[in-house]
Amino acid sequence: MSARRTLIAGNWKMNGLSADAKALATGLAEKMKAAGDVNFEMLVCPPAIQIPVVATAIAGSGIQLGGQDNHANASGAHTGDTSVAMLKDAGCGYAIVGHSERRTDHGETDAVVKDKAQAAHGAGLVAVICIGETEAERDAGKTLDVNGSQIAGSVPDGSTSANTVIAYEPVWAIGTGRTPTNDEVQEVHAFIRGELAKKVGDAEAAKTRILYGGSMNPGNSKDLLALADVDGGLIGGASLKVDDFWTVAQNA
Ligand code: PEP
């Protein structure tokens, strides 16, 4: 059995108002408390403005809290951004960096993602570093090249299995209802672990959690989470409903 503890992470993106966030977080906290011992860790990443209401709702449940992004700088003239210290202060233990929507909407390069991950590490946050190929890159047979170069460019020095989680999210699978085959997912995850080993060494790479993300749902999660190198999921749409997200977690 793998020493890597399964991480079921919800990326709520820019959805819902505070009442929705409170209801979702409260519903999950109730499930966690009723379940007692579970064989997974649960993480929720609400919109930044809703982190406080979620922190209150999940207190004492064991559910962990994360930001969806952080700035690379500690403070200063960065209108609209959130610092790692602010996330930490609000109760976060994690920060997603380099999500493909940030890479696309905000032009974030591997170098930017790397700086953000480094800032997260500096504040004692676990960086969930997202990578993944576009459909055109997959069609061109470049899937492994793209993911290898994103690992090389986005994972900072000083990364360890304790401060870093990798999320493999094929861009074309996000929010589309489409996924690679299970064999394809396993192939990419095993490849990513090998590329990560070049940066952090074999022992740390073997302990680092690599999540799959992209249309994971109650129906496909059992098979995906059973793959040898899949150590959890980063889940968007299906993380917005208590029952769906809970079912995914139960499939861990
Ligand atoms: C995501 O954006 O991180 C994601 C995986 O979204 P979805 O589950 O909706 O495809």
Side-chain angles (χ1 to χ4, degrees):
M1 195 178 156
S2 165
R4 302 182 295 268
R5 192 161 161 80
T6 301
L7 179 63
I8 303 296
N11 173 14
W12 296 359
K13 309 194 187 186
M14 194 174 72
N15 290 298
L17 302 180
S18 57
D20 305 302
K22 186 177 176 185
L24 181 49
T26 303
L28 292 170
E30 282 168 1
K31 296 261 192 209
M32 279 292 271
K33 286 179 187 162
D37 278 348
V38 290
N39 64 343
F40 56 84
E41 286 172 26
M42 180 173 280
L43 166 68
V44 292
C45 300
I49 199 166
Q50 290 163 1
I51 288 173
V53 74
V54 173
T56 302
I58 63 175
S61 69
I63 299 175
Q64 307 193 64
L65 189 56
Q68 296 178 8
D69 176 53
N70 61 257
H71 200 278
N73 290 7
S75 63
H78 303 290
T79 303
D81 279 311
T82 307
S83 75
V84 287
M86 291 170 187
L87 292 179
K88 183 103 181 160
D89 184 46
C92 292
Y94 287 76
I96 298 172
V97 293
H99 191 282
S100 66
E101 288 151 17
R102 299 280 323 171
R103 290 178 186 258
T104 303
D105 293 358
H106 300 272
E108 292 186 4
T109 60
D110 284 336
V112 168
V113 175
K114 183 180 185 174
D115 287 348
K116 289 184 172 202
Q118 196 147 37
H121 292 165
L125 298 174
V126 178
V128 180
I129 303 174
C130 301
I131 60 171
E133 80 287 355
T134 63
E135 186 156 33
E137 289 163 344
R138 176 165 281 261
D139 290 346
K142 294 184 182 156
T143 296
L144 299 185
D145 284 352
V146 168
N147 284 285
S149 104
Q150 288 181 341
I151 287 287
S154 304
V155 176
D157 291 344
S159 295
T160 67
S161 58
N163 67 18
T164 301
V165 170
I166 305 297
Y168 167 55
E169 300 205 306
V171 178
W172 54 274
I174 294 177
T176 60
R178 297 162 57 210
T179 62
T181 65
N182 292 333
D183 286 350
E184 287 167 344
V185 171
Q186 171 54 28
E187 180 196 12
V188 179
H189 276 236
F191 172 79
I192 288 170
R193 199 175 300 286
E195 294 302 292
L196 192 59
K198 294 179 188 168
K199 295 213 75 149
V200 305
D202 289 344
E204 282 305 303
K207 289 192 281 180
T208 301
R209 291 181 290 187
I210 304 177
L211 313 184
Y212 170 77
S215 296
M216 188 183 274
N217 60 41
N220 61 21
S221 47
K222 202 174 185 79
D223 288 344
L224 286 165
L225 292 170
L227 298 170
D229 284 287
V230 173
D231 309 310
L234 181 56
I235 297 136
S239 73
L240 295 173
K241 289 190 182 142
V242 173
D243 287 342
D244 285 354
F245 195 52
W246 187 251
T247 302
V248 171
Q250 294 296 289
N251 284 336

